[in-house]
Amino acid sequence: MRIAILNKDRCQPRRCSHECEKYCPRVRTGDETIIFGEDGKPIISEEMCVGCGICVHKCPFEAIMIIGLPEALTEPTHRYGPNGFALYGLPIPQIGKVTGILGPNGIGKSTAVQILSGTLVPNFSEDNSNWEKVLEHYAGTALYDYFSDVVDGDIKVSQKPQYVDMIPKAFKGKTSELLDKTDERGKLPELVERLNLSHVMDRKITELSGGELQRVAIAACAAKDADFYFFDEISPYLDIYQRINTAQLIQEISEDKAVLVVEHDLAILDMLADAVHVAYGEPGGYGVITHPKGVRIAINQYLKGFLPEENVRVRPEAIKFEVHPPRVETDINTLVDYDAFSKKYGEGFGLSTDGGSLKEGEVLGIVGPNGIGKSTFVKILAGEVEPDEGKLDLDIKIAYKPQYIKADSPMQVRYFLGGLSSKFNSSYFQTEIAKPLNIERLYERMLTELSGGELQRVAIAACLCQDADMYILDEPSAHLDVEQRSMATKVIKRFAENNSKTAMVVDHDIYMIDMLSERLIVFEGEPAVYGKAHEPSSMQDGMNKFLANLDITFRRDEDTSRPRVNKKDSRLDREQKSKGEYYYHNIADE
């Protein structure tokens, strides 16, 4: 079985020669495999299509996908018309549990939530659909009772959006005004304290940082009196302490409510969810949501790229983790040595640092809580900010990707990247950066039209295409799914090694830091008061120092070697803390 997908936003029939119809073998024999609708755009008959793929390659705008489906798939749960996106399966919300969804962006998670909230009636690929057909379809299943409540109007939904940076465009008032409107459970004062929002209540929404906006959005969702809560990505812009705190809050909400969470930080999803649905398919083409699996099983299967119960391979190769921390090489050339320096902002925040050295061809991870001076540190290294004490004369050229990315200019991606460097046209850039990051399809798009994940990938490419000695990337994982994070990690690491360039990555995703870094710079202190940056250290020493401050320990999964958070005060947690092994537990025995 195959389906044909037409991206109507990409399709430009007035600017092409109808290559899809002209080169279709079945059309040449007289069949109406491809016809043109009233809007002038092609309609592809999936029954007549032989799956040759010629139209896919001939379309100048890459607007067509011909996809062979797994044999087990029958009718879709919902389809957006002929040649539109198709969703197969639905997650099952359960009262008293947190249900997770793990899968790439553009796979139908938002469609599933619209259906579960009752705002979209699943059509099972038919022209007409109603709730009676839906109830008949799900009779005898776990979803029947749920949809019965939806039909009766007994299900109220509270939803946290994925892209919190869009909130200031929809609301211009104070934070307190926004949150007061959502306080249906009388829990707002408690939520404000739990999420550390007291200091932003009198500030305008437009003045908040990404991390503050994320916590405001979580508070607004949690404050509503609903039956079904949906949290779409809670981790972007939050440090690991805030992520764990938010996960604990969501678990408390789920004690008597149904909660659905989409999350790409696997360490947080692992500790947060009770069951996980794996979503796979072709982004923008079709999506399949599997039956619920145990959290550990679901994440491990997804990392390995093979789902045994469905007999489907979702990735050609597994995502792997290093069992041992990378060894520090002594024969690597030093790019630059830097002395200790400090920076003070009036009577407010102050940063002090130890001196250190940066090696050629290495990737340094930078970890620490938000508001501790990490961005100030990299801006001083980049020459954007002058230190108060300690002279920095690095004499190196630095390319910098900021934490918060804004696309204010209506410029095509192709011209934006091409204007940064002539390397954009090189075969190395196209092969080693553009293709793995999957930004080739974005070249004709305007920067202002890109989603958060698309903009993030373009920003990473924009940083790496510049001619520099050191590359600093601030939170490159934000809004990227698991696949994209893994690929971005490979691109950054391979770029540093192949070109003998130094890269520094500030991020809160433990998995990404674990796969990417060879050494760590750990920040300590009190957020918004003072920060201390230690000299670069080994992964083992750095992670132990960082996690000791957070009072959490990690163990290695026996099957995949991925890091997993230990339950607080569990036997293993107490044992590791007593030995000072917060991260690489029993590493000598592994």
Side-chain angles (χ1 to χ4, degrees):
M1 180 180 175
R2 70 178 61 88
I3 58 173
I5 303 295
L6 176 71
N7 187 324
K8 292 192 175 183
D9 292 332
R10 287 179 175 274
C11 181
Q12 304 289 333
R14 294 182 180 179
R15 294 173 54 194
C16 72
S17 301
H18 293 188
E19 285 87 349
C20 55
E21 179 191 40
K22 184 183 297 183
Y23 291 100
C24 176
R26 294 299 298 267
V27 171
R28 288 184 168 189
T29 62
D31 292 333
E32 293 186 339
T33 307
I34 299 179
I35 60 175
F36 289 86
E38 295 180 358
D39 59 357
K41 298 188 178 183
I43 300 173
I44 304 170
S45 171
E46 294 170 346
E47 291 77 14
M48 294 183 181
C49 175
V50 295
C52 65
I54 293 176
C55 59
V56 176
H57 298 292
K58 290 293 184 180
C59 176
F61 302 106
E62 299 181 337
I64 299 173
M65 289 188 287
I66 305 297
I67 303 170
L69 297 179
E71 294 181 4
L73 298 181
T74 53
E75 64 177 7
T77 303
H78 187 79
R79 190 162 192 192
Y80 290 96
N83 302 145
F85 178 86
L87 174 67
Y88 296 83
L90 286 174
I92 305 173
Q94 297 185 61
I95 295 175
K97 291 188 177 181
V98 178
T99 303
I101 303 181
L102 173 59
N105 291 326
I107 211 75
K109 298 185 291 287
S110 297
T111 298
V113 172
Q114 284 183 304
I115 292 173
L116 292 174
S117 66
T119 58
L120 180 66
V121 183
N123 57 20
F124 308 110
S125 199
E126 298 178 0
D127 293 333
N128 298 314
S129 185
N130 54 56
W131 285 113
E132 289 184 6
K133 291 182 180 179
V134 174
L135 292 176
E136 181 180 342
H137 180 88
Y138 288 108
T141 70
L143 280 170
Y144 177 82
D145 292 337
Y146 180 86
F147 280 124
S148 295
D149 290 337
V150 170
V151 172
D152 295 337
D154 295 334
I155 294 289
K156 185 178 179 183
V157 177
S158 179
Q159 181 173 352
K160 187 206 84 68
Q162 178 181 10
Y163 299 118
V164 296
D165 46 2
M166 303 298 288
I167 295 176
K169 296 181 181 180
F171 186 85
K172 303 294 183 183
K174 291 183 178 180
T175 304
S176 57
E177 295 171 355
L178 173 63
L179 291 179
D180 285 341
K181 293 179 180 180
T182 65
D183 188 21
E184 299 173 353
R185 298 196 296 142
K187 298 279 189 179
L188 185 58
E190 178 186 334
L191 291 169
V192 168
E193 183 178 352
R194 286 280 299 272
L195 295 169
N196 193 24
L197 292 171
S198 302
H199 66 289
V200 303
M201 293 298 283
D202 292 327
R203 285 164 56 189
K204 292 183 178 179
I205 287 290
T206 51
E207 299 172 352
L208 302 188
S209 68
E212 290 165 343
L213 280 173
Q214 186 70 268
R215 284 177 282 139
V216 166
I218 291 167
C221 179
K224 292 182 180 178
D225 186 14
D227 306 286
F228 172 43
Y229 291 84
F230 174 61
F231 293 88
D232 198 346
E233 291 192 38
I234 61 171
S235 63
Y237 309 127
L238 299 187
D239 62 40
I240 188 168
Y241 175 81
Q242 294 167 333
R243 294 179 185 194
I244 291 174
N245 184 40
T246 300
Q248 293 169 343
L249 174 64
I250 293 174
Q251 286 176 323
E252 292 172 15
I253 294 173
S254 72
E255 290 177 0
D256 58 351
K257 304 290 184 180
V259 178
L260 188 66
V261 174
V262 173
E263 183 51 59
H264 301 301
D265 184 331
L266 297 183
I268 297 301
L269 182 66
D270 192 10
M271 68 170 291
L272 171 63
D274 298 296
V276 170
H277 296 265
V278 176
Y280 67 92
E282 183 70 35
Y286 80 101
V288 181
I289 297 178
T290 68
H291 292 298
K293 303 170 183 280
V295 181
R296 177 178 177 272
I297 292 172
I299 294 177
N300 285 357
Q301 288 182 0
Y302 191 75
L303 289 175
K304 291 179 179 179
F306 180 68
L307 309 178
E309 293 87 355
E310 291 77 16
N311 194 27
V312 170
R313 180 160 292 283
V314 298
R315 193 184 313 105
E317 57 185 33
I319 297 175
K320 297 180 180 178
F321 293 86
E322 295 285 342
V323 175
H324 297 279
R327 297 173 181 173
V328 178
E329 300 288 345
T330 56
D331 57 348
I332 298 178
N333 294 331
T334 298
L335 172 69
V336 68
D337 293 308
Y338 63 91
D339 297 327
F341 61 86
S342 64
K343 178 70 179 177
K344 180 76 174 176
Y345 290 96
E347 298 298 321
F349 179 78
L351 170 69
S352 63
T353 75
D354 293 334
S357 63
L358 308 177
K359 306 289 185 180
E360 291 182 355
E362 77 169 343
V363 180
L364 282 128
I366 299 180
V367 294
N370 282 336
I372 208 76
K374 298 188 301 296
S375 294
T376 299
F377 175 77
V378 297
K379 285 178 181 177
I380 290 175
L381 290 182
E384 293 187 10
V385 176
E386 288 291 326
D388 296 329
E389 294 182 10
K391 187 177 180 182
L392 280 187
D393 188 14
L394 300 185
D395 194 27
I396 57 174
K397 190 173 181 182
I398 295 176
Y400 176 53
K401 184 202 84 68
Q403 179 182 13
Y404 304 120
I405 308 164
K406 293 184 179 180
D408 300 324
S409 173
M411 182 187 297
Q412 271 191 345
V413 171
R414 179 188 300 277
Y415 295 112
F416 168 68
L417 293 174
L420 290 173
S421 172
S422 58
K423 290 183 179 180
F424 170 70
N425 295 313
S426 69
S427 60
Y428 179 87
F429 178 86
Q430 297 300 330
T431 304
E432 296 294 327
I433 298 175
K435 189 172 182 179
L437 291 176
N438 197 23
I439 61 172
E440 296 169 311
R441 282 176 162 263
L442 306 178
Y443 284 165
E444 307 302 322
R445 302 265 302 278
M446 294 291 185
L447 289 171
T448 50
E449 299 173 353
L450 302 182
S451 68
E454 292 169 339
L455 196 58
Q456 185 71 261
R457 285 181 280 134
V458 170
I460 294 171
C463 180
L464 297 182
C465 81
Q466 297 178 53
D467 187 15
D469 302 299
M470 185 163 72
Y471 298 79
I472 301 174
L473 299 101
D474 200 343
E475 202 162 342
S477 71
H479 300 309
L480 299 187
D481 60 39
V482 176
E483 311 273 354
Q484 293 164 345
R485 291 182 190 199
S486 174
M487 194 53 67
T489 296
K490 291 180 182 177
V491 167
I492 296 169
K493 194 165 187 174
R494 199 158 49 204
F495 176 84
E497 291 174 350
N498 292 347
N499 298 281
S500 296
K501 301 292 187 180
T502 304
M504 302 179 75
V505 177
V506 181
D507 213 285
H508 301 294
D509 186 331
I510 291 292
Y511 282 34
M512 191 168 191
I513 289 293
D514 181 71
M515 290 190 291
L516 187 66
S517 309
E518 293 167 69
R519 291 194 296 162
L520 281 184
I521 297 177
V522 180
F523 279 70
E524 297 178 311
E526 184 178 343
V529 180
Y530 72 94
K532 167 74 173 180
H534 294 279
E535 66 178 336
S537 63
S538 68
M539 286 291 290
Q540 184 170 3
D541 292 342
M543 275 297 189
N544 282 341
K545 184 189 296 287
F546 173 52
L547 296 178
N549 293 332
L550 296 174
D551 195 34
I552 60 174
T553 60
F554 279 78
R555 68 189 183 278
R556 289 285 186 174
D557 183 80
E558 296 175 358
D559 195 13
T560 61
S561 297
R562 65 183 172 89
R564 301 187 69 193
V565 180
N566 289 324
K567 188 175 181 180
K568 190 174 178 61
D569 295 327
S570 66
R571 181 194 59 79
L572 195 56
D573 182 59
R574 296 194 307 270
E575 178 185 318
Q576 288 183 222
K577 286 176 180 175
S578 67
K579 295 179 179 179
E581 298 174 346
Y582 285 79
Y583 195 60
Y584 295 106
H585 177 52
N586 288 338
I587 197 156
D589 302 329
E590 290 182 345

